[in-house]
């Protein structure tokens, strides 16, 4: 899977499934975040992600405020598929939201 960095913090993973906008806020050390990324990549999903723990200062604050709009508990992974927010690794919900079995 091809991956590239967009700007200073956002990364893009290119996939064949591009029908829904998918964004993941994750921690680089979180095993559930890694499982979420693996599921997306194994399913061929085109998505963007940010490792929030790698950010500093104002950039980190701005991203945390963005996450909090979707997930007030600020837990990770926080996954946005279209308008649907999925908190934590929940394979069934992720597959449902993506429309895959």
């Amino acid at each position: 899977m091809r991956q590239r960095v967009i700007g200073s913090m956002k990364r893009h993973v290119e996939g064949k499934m591009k029908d829904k906008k998918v964004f993941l806020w994750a921690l680089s050390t979180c095993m559930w975040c890694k499982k979420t990324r693996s599921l997306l990549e194994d399913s061929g999903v085109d998505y963007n992600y940010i490792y929030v723990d790698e950010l500093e200062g104002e950039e980190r604050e701005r991203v945390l405020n963005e996450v909090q709009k979707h997930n007030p508990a600020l837990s990770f992974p926080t996954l946005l598929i279209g308008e649907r927010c999925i908190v934590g690794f929940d394979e069934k919900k992720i597959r449902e939201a993506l429309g895959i079995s």
Side-chain angles (χ1 to χ4, degrees), residues 4 7 12 15 19 21 30 32 37-39 43 49 51 57 61 70 75 77 80 85:
R4 63 186 162 100
H12 177 78
D19 55 325
K21 188 174 179 180
C30 165
W32 300 111
R37 286 197 56 212
S38 292
L39 176 60
S43 301
Y49 71 97
Y51 280 140
E61 280 301 312
H70 302 284
S75 54
L80 199 59
C85 181

Side-chain angles (χ1 to χ4, degrees), residues 71-87:
N71 172 13
L74 277 177
S75 54
F76 299 95
T78 297
L79 180 65
L80 199 59
I81 301 174
E83 298 297 319
R84 185 172 176 184
C85 181
I86 299 170
V87 177

Side-chain angles (χ1 to χ4, degrees), residues 5-31:
V5 176
I6 303 170
S8 63
M9 57 183 183
K10 192 187 310 181
R11 296 174 181 144
H12 177 78
V13 177
E14 195 170 305
K16 292 179 181 175
M17 185 183 292
K18 299 180 182 194
D19 55 325
K20 294 184 180 177
K21 188 174 179 180
V22 178
F23 198 93
L24 173 67
W25 291 275
L27 301 176
S28 63
T29 57
C30 165
M31 72 178 241

